[in-house]
Amino acid sequence: MHRDVVVVGSGPNGLAAAVTLARAGLGVLVLEAQPTVGGGARTLDLGLADGVVHDLCSAVHPMAWASPFFRGFDLAARGVELLRPEVSFAQPLPDGRAGVAYRDLDRTAERLGDDGDAWRFVVGRLAEHADHVVRVAMGDKRSLPPGLLPRGTGTALHFGLQVLEQGTTWGRRFSGDVAPALLTGVAAHAITPLPSLAAAGTALLLASLGHAGPGWVIPRGGSGSIVAALVDDLVAHGGEIVTDHPVRTWDDMPPAHAHLFDTTPRTVVEVLGDRLPRHARESLEGFRYGNAAAKVDFVLSEPVPWADPEVRRAGTVHVGGTRDEMIAAEAAVHAGQHAERPMTLVSDPTVVDDSRVVGGLRPLWSYAHVPAGSDVDVTEAVTAHVERYAPGFRDVVVASRCIPAAHMSRHNQNYVDGDICAGATTMWQMFARPTARRDPYATGRDGVYLCSASTPPGPGVHGLSGWFAARRVLREVFNTAVLPSLAPDRTAEVWPAI
Ligand SMILES: Cc1cc2nc3c(=O)[nH]c(=O)nc-3n(C[C@H](O)[C@H](O)[C@H](O)COP(=O)(O)OP(=O)(O)OC[C@H]3O[C@@H](n4cnc5c(N)ncnc54)[C@H](O)[C@@H]3O)c2cc1C
């Protein structure tokens, strides 16, 4: 049956695109390879303990809070509660000290002592103008973000200068070792060698969001609540989702005026084959995939016994030690080796969400950085690493499950060889993502668009890639200059077309 639009993949970007287009009155069909919808934002019962659910991929959502798409969509009005840990992120150090990024900037700076003013300068100034930072770092990387000039010029300049400073000479501005470690732990989200400009950009965006608004929020019940809100809205506007439907060839999709791929460029090349012009295919084939992550989910009988009591308040803990240790660990991974103490990200949703504790048992979410394609079970490495900062951790572990990097693509083929960023985070690919085309969402074939984290603004649950791509589709395929409201009550602001 002919559709107006087919979306391949039901991750947050695919659903954001689908919702936008369905709200514009178009007939939208979403085809999802997996049995469950939501891609990198699913919350599932892994069978580790009765009733205890885990976030399969994403767990912590500063980007969803900051995203203009989700602002318009209004998660709160749809019953999605974004819970606010008092501590956005923390960085325990081997000697027992810890960097602690409270939502409250003053408290953070005070605890950093002599480096408090430098933290205010580097991160705090950005946090105070987080709206402008979001426009700079979470735009389509091709157009001047609306509303940035002239008022955001100073913030944009400060952001750029700090990327240069932090991305080339980590910590020169800092005199101690806690603040540099605290910022480097955030930079490590880029899963790329440190220091680097791309990692510094990631660090400055995420760290500033840690002090802006609600900080690094965690949805009540897990990330799946965001997916459920998107699916409800899509269905309410006539959209349809078919699961267990991998798209491998062009014939796996019904005809439509527009096809959007919430996938990697690799999948677009496989599905379209010769339907793509040769130069377009070659440039999509040049897209690079990056270092990987292996997931370890735990069930605990008690909260993690972090040595520093303030770390126990954190929704997210970066387990990597000192700045030098993290630089060495990421360098090893980039060289294709397993670090003895791999950079590990840990999130305990029960810090803010009691509903996640079932029968006295609680989930703990973690992943560790490993070389691309690694099939190593990192449970022991992660356990030992956490134990270093939380003596007794081993004793509270009731069950665990590892998904090695090489197996990540079994539950989401966008994570090529375990690259959870759906493409390497390099400075080139921050801007020329997925290619250097003027329109990053175009594929080279009329009516076919990319809308995944492989396009700007890159990884994260923000829905912006889907939203930006949908805007192109409305304008170019359906000649519509006005975007539909995303708000639940249909009466709110109409976004201007770009
Ligand atoms: C372990 C892990 C931890 C993360 N932590 C965070 C976090 O805390 N906060 C955050 O903001 N982000 C986090 N991320 C990143 C975030 O999950 C992703 O960047 C985000 O989900 C990307 O959204 P997307 O819609 O582009 O793609 P995805 O969410 O990856 O969804 C793509 C969908 O397309 C489907 N698909 C792919 N190919 C096909 C095909 N050929 N046919 C049909 N369907 C197909 C997939 O099955 C999948 O459902 C994490 C990711 C991982 C893996």
Side-chain angles (χ1 to χ4, degrees), residues 42 63 66 105 113 118 138 148 175 195 244 283 285 287 297 304 322 326-327 350 383 387 432 474 486 489:
R42 283 170 287 174
M63 297 228 237
L105 176 64
M138 293 173 72
L148 184 63
S175 56
D244 283 315
S283 54
E285 282 169 347
F287 186 65
D297 289 304
V304 182
T322 63
M326 288 182 277
I327 289 172
T350 69
T383 305
E387 177 86 25
L474 285 173
L486 297 169
D489 63 9

Side-chain angles (χ1 to χ4, degrees), residues 8-14 31-34 39-40 57-60 245-247 262-263 267 295 365 367 408 412-415 420 452-453 459-461:
V8 179
S10 69
N13 283 314
L31 300 174
E32 168 55 53
Q34 296 292 318
C57 302
S58 62
V60 184
H245 190 108
V247 172
D262 182 18
T263 70
T267 300
K295 185 88 190 306
W365 167 106
Y367 66 86
M408 293 288 265
N412 188 339
Q413 73 180 70
N414 283 17
Y415 304 143
I420 66 170
S452 71
V461 174

Side-chain angles (χ1 to χ4, degrees), residues 85-273:
E86 186 183 348
V87 174
S88 284
F89 54 92
Q91 180 80 32
L93 295 176
D95 62 6
R97 291 173 304 149
V100 178
Y102 299 95
R103 266 191 357 247
D104 183 338
L105 176 64
D106 291 338
R107 224 170 138 191
T108 307
E110 196 177 314
R111 188 174 155 122
L112 286 171
D114 288 347
D115 275 336
D117 284 344
W119 186 270
R120 280 180 199 284
F121 179 80
V122 175
V123 180
R125 276 179 64 170
L126 296 173
E128 282 162 18
H129 303 285
D131 273 358
H132 292 142
V133 174
V134 167
R135 285 182 167 86
V136 171
M138 293 173 72
D140 67 8
K141 307 281 167 71
R142 299 294 191 280
S143 55
L144 191 65
L148 184 63
L149 300 181
R151 282 194 311 124
T153 313
T155 307
L157 273 175
H158 184 62
F159 186 84
L161 288 172
Q162 287 312 308
V163 166
L164 283 177
E165 182 180 298
Q166 299 301 323
T168 48
T169 53
W170 280 105
R172 183 181 284 174
R173 186 175 292 275
F174 300 113
S175 56
D177 55 354
V178 178
L182 190 58
L183 198 52
T184 305
V186 191
H189 282 249
I191 324 187
T192 199
L194 302 169
S196 68
L197 298 175
T202 304
L204 293 168
L205 168 66
L206 292 177
S208 59
L209 292 179
H211 300 302
W216 284 21
V217 290
I218 296 178
R220 186 180 295 285
S223 302
S225 63
I226 298 176
V227 171
L230 289 165
V231 169
D232 284 353
D233 193 78
L234 176 61
V235 172
H237 289 85
E240 194 189 335
I241 305 177
V242 176
T243 52
D244 283 315
H245 190 108
V247 172
R248 298 193 184 95
T249 69
W250 185 257
D251 294 335
D252 291 332
M253 304 180 292
H257 294 297
H259 291 85
L260 284 83
F261 282 78
D262 182 18
T263 70
T264 60
R266 183 177 291 189
T267 300
V268 170
V269 169
E270 279 165 10
V271 172
L272 269 79

